[in-house]
Amino acid sequence: MAKLSGFPELLPADRAVELAVVDALRHVFELHGFANVETRAVEPVETLLRKGEIDKEVYVVRRIHDDASVEVGSRSDALALHFDLTVPFARYVVENAGKLAFPFRRYQVQKVWRGERPQQGRFREFTQADIDIVGDGTLPFHADVEVARVMAEALAAVSRVLGAGPDDPSWFTLQVSNRKVLEGFYRGLGVAEPTAVMQVVDKLDKLPGERILELLAETGLDDDSARACLALAEISTEDTSFVERVRALDVQHPLLDEGLDELATVVAACADVEGVRVTADLRIARGLDYYTGTVFETRMTGQEQLGSVCSGGRYDELASDGRRTYPGVGISLGLSRLLVPLVANGLTSSRPVPSAVLVAVTDEESRAASDALAQRLRRRGIPTEVSSAAQKFGKQIRTAERRGIPYVLFPGEPPSVKDIRTGDQVDVDPDTWTPPAADLTPTVVGLGHHSKETTP
Amino acid sequence: MAKLSGFPELLPADRAVELAVVDALRHVFELHGFANVETRAVEPVETLLRKGEIDKEVYVVRRIHDDASVEVGSRSDALALHFDLTVPFARYVVENAGKLAFPFRRYQVQKVWRGERPQQGRFREFTQADIDIVGDGTLPFHADVEVARVMAEALAAVSRVLGAGPDDPSWFTLQVSNRKVLEGFYRGLGVAEPTAVMQVVDKLDKLPGERILELLAETGLDDDSARACLALAEISTEDTSFVERVRALDVQHPLLDEGLDELATVVAACADVEGVRVTADLRIARGLDYYTGTVFETRMTGQEQLGSVCSGGRYDELASDGRRTYPGVGISLGLSRLLVPLVANGLTSSRPVPSAVLVAVTDEESRAASDALAQRLRRRGIPTEVSSAAQKFGKQIRTAERRGIPYVLFPGEPPSVKDIRTGDQVDVDPDTWTPPAADLTPTVVGLGHHSKETTP
């Protein structure tokens, strides 16, 4: 049976890593008061197609016995799988506005689908983890700061799960920029079409500076202006010193001042978040999305080929029902995009089962006694399984080994526990003995420091 | 915007209940060594249609720009959304058999889809929580016992989350039966078509005994045999005394003996699970599924109209790749089926946000100080949000009230905390003060005892 290209599935030990990452994200999000929401998998096709450029990638769904002669997608009630969590969340906000307390903070971890043609590295089903803060009519700027801080803490938590030291900031870089800085700067230069310039600058990751200058010239910029735009895009600082560097380019515009103020506030507010690097990066434009201020991207060190694994920004109109407008600021972590390539590179967990202990079975007649021993461990929160076959103990120990289960408990008076890694065996009281905390749940292994081991 | 019928979505406070239930299930499953797995949402249509009767209910998915002139579902590579978690799990087992350690215990909590016509109470998208144990070639009978015990504990944990007292067994009844008992009994009576009889007996919940007798007569049974079959179906005991009652019907068959033995073993092994009722119920036949031994259904007291909320059994052939056969035993909890009607009846949680504390903001200039206070609480695991607007404190307190947040922390030297339910306000050290455990996370409310409050 061939696997379906673009629909990644994880083996149990790898799925344990994903679960641990989701737990870490959830913990951070809930500590900051973000409520969880799940939305249905489908939306009306017309809702999804409102965002023009995605229409090629939508999966339409229909009941198998519906009339096939009607063209798919042409019916006004046709449904399709959502391709992100923002569109369904915007619809959820409008639909439930009367029952939500604004500003509404929510996190959402769900699968999304895109009808990509099968090709290397393109997922057709993948998991995203989103946070957003949404206001009713207005949303103060400090929501941008909050979203940045919360996701910075979440990225730090993820890197700790994956093996980073507690203060090691070298795994993720949250790159913050602000569309007002870029647009204000371009307007200060007299550029008529700031959006065209943004879309060129957005390519700085992929193209050399000289080529960017050529493309900027094609948008109608004179050489000095093009060089100024490139110089702006090349500014990247780990503190608020970017402000001085922008000022040194000697361009004036009120929108630029507002943007610099906002961006400096976000970067300064993230300075004390440990375990992650937060930079002001003026090459980040997110030219193709509908952001109006703060924008985010995120790179993982040693995994730059993944592109941005966590992106978002401020929308002045996340949603609208015609009468009311709901501004929002949010950021979306591409969980599958991040984890699936790492798993392919060896990231996994120390065992494919939650069990920390295997209880041996002497013979089938005494299985109930082994079951009872297991229950005494479980009652104290120790994940335990009972041997499936009353084989010779040597075979049962090898079963534990194959599953990565560190301890085997043998029935007896008193019972005894063998640490199968050291071979040490000691008598224990099954109502008090507890494995060390590090053995209680599977741990993440196999990645080492990602930037060393996974670079080819 | 009209909601889509059959695609339930929960408000944040209600989703918190669902999350708490999933957490409780996961805790029990992992304590017993069950590993989590997620499978992709889609399977080839032909895989899904192999189970004949479901074909009307499948949602086909296709890329919106694929050629619409080819009839949906006719292409050999057509995909559809899975309608349960068993079919994809069986495919996953075969596909990954070389990498799994058997017997393989897994749990899976995911959405499934059925292309039902919209009608009252029919879900088109819903969440299931499944456990299965799968063997490679063989699977010992004690796996049936294990699955029964684990799900019995899980049901007890769910009822505690929903408000049951720690030992109160009155919420869920796990009804166990065994196809060998029924088939052996019918064969002992000389019935030629045991399956036809099972399908009639399966209707005993909906039809009176007299009507069952008529239907049994229509399958060709004489009056005595029909009465014996009905008498068997009416046996229901909370212990192993059902064995005697079956023996008293004076029917002999080796398969009956084997089945009685198995069923008595399961029921006896579940006797000490607290917080749930486990019964031998010989009306449970699950006549339309491919079970070969133990079968399970589950009723919730006071919610009998929901039917069985948790069902399953033993398959001698869960999966096969032509060369190898994988027997399995499993049980599937209908999470949405259970929770959505309870939520409609008032089940919810004490607040729609995780936050236990709202930190007040004196003025926008000192927002950073309030943020810093919040961080000191969060560092100790206390979910905290900061007031979005520096309004008068009275207004900020009302914001907390509206969100169900029990405590407001006011900046100052020293800071003080108000319990907004009692109005008590005390000075606190933000590095040591902790809300009572009961206030730290939202609690489930609104159901009381389900059987009293939700019966009309």
Side-chain angles (χ1 to χ4, degrees):
Chain A
M1 222 175 286
K3 301 210 177 188
L4 277 181
S5 160
F7 292 88
E9 285 185 328
L10 301 178
L11 286 167
D14 306 336
R15 168 63 183 159
V17 178
E18 188 176 52
L19 263 183
V21 170
V22 171
D23 286 345
L25 292 171
R26 176 180 169 190
H27 180 70
V28 172
F29 300 155
E30 294 192 348
L31 269 184
H32 287 267
F34 284 67
N36 185 236
V37 152
E38 289 201 336
T39 54
R40 64 189 189 221
V42 299
E43 297 294 333
V45 169
E46 50 175 24
T47 306
L48 295 176
L49 296 193
R50 227 168 275 159
K51 265 202 176 179
E53 319 142 37
I54 308 283
D55 62 347
K56 287 200 190 81
E57 304 179 359
V58 168
Y59 272 121
V60 174
V61 308
R62 52 185 300 169
R63 297 174 62 239
I64 196 164
H65 290 291
D66 277 353
D67 183 358
S69 66
V70 180
E71 181 145 357
V72 169
S74 66
R75 292 170 43 173
S76 65
D77 61 346
L79 300 176
L81 296 173
H82 56 222
F83 56 78
D84 72 3
L85 302 179
T86 306
V87 173
F89 175 59
R91 191 257 317 146
Y92 178 96
V93 166
V94 170
E95 210 168 88
N96 297 295
K99 295 166 185 161
L100 302 174
F102 293 96
F104 176 45
R105 295 171 179 81
R106 85 85 174 77
Y107 75 95
Q108 189 168 351
V109 184
Q110 275 185 266
K111 299 216 163 89
V112 305
W113 295 270
R114 295 190 187 169
E116 304 269 4
R117 291 194 178 278
Q119 65 181 93
Q120 192 57 33
R122 287 289 179 121
F123 295 133
R124 299 199 281 185
E125 174 178 65
F126 52 102
T127 302
Q128 293 196 330
D130 282 30
I131 57 170
D132 283 273
I133 306 178
V134 181
D136 178 2
T138 61
L139 183 70
F141 167 71
H142 59 73
D144 295 38
V145 178
E146 184 174 345
V147 159
R149 276 195 64 105
V150 173
M151 193 51 92
E153 284 187 24
L155 290 166
V158 170
S159 67
R160 284 192 298 272
V161 168
L162 298 183
D167 307 327
D168 178 2
S170 70
W171 288 50
F172 291 104
T173 302
L174 177 62
Q175 302 166 298
V176 194
S177 180
N178 192 303
R179 295 280 288 259
K180 293 176 188 171
V181 171
L182 309 192
E183 194 181 331
F185 189 90
Y186 304 153
R187 290 201 184 280
L189 283 172
V191 171
E193 290 285 355
T195 309
V197 175
M198 259 180 230
Q199 286 175 12
V200 171
V201 168
D202 225 19
K203 296 178 181 147
L204 189 53
D205 266 353
K206 289 166 197 146
L207 301 175
E210 284 309 307
R211 180 75 192 120
I212 296 291
L213 287 177
E214 285 170 29
L215 290 172
L216 287 174
E218 283 170 25
T219 71
L221 261 64
D222 62 48
D223 191 54
D224 280 356
S225 296
R227 287 189 186 279
C229 290
L230 182 60
L232 182 76
E234 286 174 341
I235 294 174
S236 168
T237 68
E238 295 200 25
D239 52 28
T240 57
S241 62
F242 71 91
V243 178
E244 265 172 67
R245 292 182 54 191
V246 175
R247 295 290 181 209
L249 297 175
D250 202 23
V251 174
Q252 313 297 333
H253 196 275
L255 194 60
L256 172 61
D257 296 341
E258 189 183 327
L260 287 174
D261 234 40
E262 287 190 359
L263 183 54
T265 304
V266 171
V267 171
C270 292
D272 66 343
V273 180
E274 289 176 350
V276 66
R277 188 177 286 127
V278 179
T279 60
D281 248 300
L282 297 182
R283 74 173 60 192
I284 306 298
R286 297 201 71 68
L288 294 175
D289 285 304
Y290 302 122
Y291 298 111
T292 48
T294 307
V295 286
F296 304 107
E297 293 195 358
T298 306
R299 261 72 192 176
M300 185 174 186
T301 309
Q303 300 290 338
E304 286 77 8
Q305 81 289 354
L306 296 179
S308 175
V309 294
C310 185
S311 315
R314 154 75 74 149
Y315 291 85
D316 281 340
E317 184 177 316
L318 175 79
S320 171
D321 61 3
R323 294 175 306 112
R324 303 188 80 86
T325 296
Y326 302 90
V329 55
I331 184 163
S332 172
L333 173 67
L335 203 63
S336 306
R337 187 169 192 169
L338 176 68
L339 287 180
V340 172
L342 295 180
V343 164
N345 273 336
L347 176 71
T348 186
S349 62
S350 55
R351 54 182 191 256
V353 290
S355 321
V357 181
L358 177 82
V359 179
V361 175
T362 310
D363 47 41
E364 283 303 328
E365 289 64 48
S366 65
R367 173 170 296 278
S370 292
D371 283 339
L373 269 178
Q375 282 297 100
R376 287 159 77 180
L377 299 187
R378 291 180 190 127
R379 217 163 281 146
R380 290 180 298 112
I382 305 167
T384 304
E385 62 183 74
V386 176
S387 194
S388 181
Q391 301 161 313
K392 286 183 182 158
F393 282 166
K395 270 202 156 181
Q396 296 189 49
I397 292 169
R398 277 195 293 284
T399 297
E401 247 165 7
R402 240 187 350 263
R403 293 181 176 227
I405 301 173
Y407 298 96
V408 178
L409 176 66
F410 298 96
E413 289 301 334
S416 62
V417 160
K418 183 192 275 290
D419 179 333
I420 65 168
R421 296 157 302 187
T422 62
D424 294 348
Q425 186 163 345
V426 291
D427 290 350
V428 295
D429 174 351
D431 292 322
T432 58
W433 174 78
T434 301
D439 288 333
L440 215 47
T441 52
T443 49
V444 174
V445 298
L447 200 58
H449 193 300
H450 59 109
S451 60
K452 289 174 198 138
E453 292 202 6
T454 61
T455 311
Chain B
M1 224 175 284
K3 302 210 175 186
L4 277 181
S5 161
F7 291 90
E9 285 185 329
L10 300 178
L11 286 167
D14 305 335
R15 167 64 181 159
V17 177
E18 187 176 52
L19 263 183
V21 169
V22 171
D23 286 345
L25 292 171
R26 175 179 170 191
H27 180 71
V28 171
F29 298 156
E30 295 192 348
L31 270 184
H32 287 266
F34 284 66
N36 186 236
V37 152
E38 288 201 337
T39 54
R40 64 190 190 222
V42 299
E43 299 293 332
V45 169
E46 50 177 22
T47 306
L48 294 176
L49 297 193
R50 227 167 274 158
K51 266 202 175 179
E53 320 141 36
I54 309 283
D55 61 348
K56 289 201 189 79
E57 304 180 359
V58 168
Y59 271 121
V60 175
V61 308
R62 52 184 301 168
R63 298 174 61 241
I64 196 165
H65 290 292
D66 278 353
D67 183 357
S69 66
V70 180
E71 180 146 358
V72 169
S74 68
R75 294 168 43 173
S76 65
D77 61 346
L79 300 175
L81 297 173
H82 57 221
F83 56 77
D84 71 5
L85 302 177
T86 306
V87 173
F89 175 60
R91 191 256 319 145
Y92 177 96
V93 166
V94 170
E95 209 168 271
N96 297 295
K99 296 167 185 159
L100 302 174
F102 293 96
F104 175 45
R105 294 172 180 81
R106 85 86 175 76
Y107 75 94
Q108 190 169 350
V109 183
Q110 276 185 267
K111 297 217 165 90
V112 305
W113 294 270
R114 294 191 187 169
E116 304 268 3
R117 293 195 178 277
Q119 64 181 96
Q120 191 59 33
R122 286 289 180 120
F123 295 134
R124 299 198 281 186
E125 174 178 65
F126 52 103
T127 302
Q128 293 195 329
D130 281 29
I131 58 171
D132 283 273
I133 306 178
V134 181
D136 178 2
T138 60
L139 182 70
F141 167 72
H142 58 73
D144 296 37
V145 177
E146 185 174 344
V147 158
R149 276 195 63 105
V150 173
M151 193 51 93
E153 284 186 24
L155 291 167
V158 170
S159 67
R160 283 192 297 271
V161 168
L162 298 184
D167 307 327
D168 177 2
S170 69
W171 288 52
F172 291 105
T173 302
L174 177 62
Q175 302 167 297
V176 194
S177 181
N178 193 302
R179 296 279 287 258
K180 293 176 187 171
V181 171
L182 309 192
E183 194 180 332
F185 189 89
Y186 304 153
R187 291 200 184 282
L189 283 172
V191 171
E193 291 285 356
T195 310
V197 175
M198 259 179 232
Q199 288 175 10
V200 171
V201 167
D202 225 19
K203 296 176 182 150
L204 189 52
D205 266 353
K206 289 166 197 145
L207 301 175
E210 284 308 306
R211 180 76 191 119
I212 296 290
L213 287 177
E214 286 170 26
L215 291 171
L216 288 174
E218 284 170 23
T219 72
L221 261 64
D222 62 48
D223 190 56
D224 281 355
S225 297
R227 286 188 186 278
C229 290
L230 181 61
L232 182 76
E234 286 173 341
I235 293 174
S236 168
T237 68
E238 294 201 25
D239 53 29
T240 57
S241 61
F242 72 90
V243 177
E244 264 171 70
R245 293 182 53 189
V246 175
R247 294 292 182 208
L249 297 174
D250 202 23
V251 174
Q252 314 295 335
H253 196 275
L255 195 60
L256 172 62
D257 296 340
E258 190 183 328
L260 287 174
D261 236 37
E262 288 190 0
L263 183 54
T265 304
V266 172
V267 171
C270 292
D272 66 342
V273 181
E274 287 176 351
V276 65
R277 187 177 286 130
V278 179
T279 60
D281 248 300
L282 297 181
R283 74 172 62 194
I284 307 297
R286 299 201 67 70
L288 294 174
D289 286 304
Y290 302 122
Y291 299 110
T292 48
T294 307
V295 286
F296 303 107
E297 294 195 358
T298 306
R299 261 72 192 179
M300 186 174 186
T301 308
Q303 301 289 339
E304 286 76 9
Q305 81 289 353
L306 296 178
S308 175
V309 295
C310 184
S311 315
R314 154 76 74 149
Y315 291 84
D316 280 339
E317 185 177 314
L318 175 79
S320 171
D321 62 2
R323 295 174 307 109
R324 304 188 81 86
T325 296
Y326 302 90
V329 54
I331 183 163
S332 173
L333 174 66
L335 204 63
S336 306
R337 188 171 191 168
L338 176 67
L339 286 181
V340 172
L342 295 181
V343 164
N345 273 336
L347 178 71
T348 187
S349 62
S350 55
R351 55 185 191 252
V353 291
S355 321
V357 181
L358 176 84
V359 180
V361 175
T362 310
D363 47 43
E364 283 304 327
E365 290 63 45
S366 67
R367 173 171 295 279
S370 292
D371 283 339
L373 268 179
Q375 282 298 99
R376 288 159 79 179
L377 300 188
R378 291 180 190 127
R379 217 163 279 146
R380 291 180 297 111
I382 304 167
T384 304
E385 62 183 76
V386 176
S387 193
S388 181
Q391 302 160 311
K392 286 185 181 158
F393 282 165
K395 268 202 158 181
Q396 296 189 47
I397 292 169
R398 276 195 294 283
T399 297
E401 244 165 10
R402 237 184 355 260
R403 294 181 174 228
I405 302 173
Y407 297 96
V408 178
L409 176 66
F410 298 96
E413 289 303 334
S416 61
V417 161
K418 183 192 275 291
D419 180 334
I420 65 168
R421 297 158 299 187
T422 62
D424 294 348
Q425 186 163 346
V426 291
D427 290 350
V428 294
D429 174 350
D431 291 322
T432 57
W433 176 78
T434 300
D439 288 332
L440 215 47
T441 53
T443 49
V444 174
V445 296
L447 200 57
H449 195 298
H450 59 108
S451 60
K452 287 174 201 138
E453 291 203 5
T454 61
T455 311

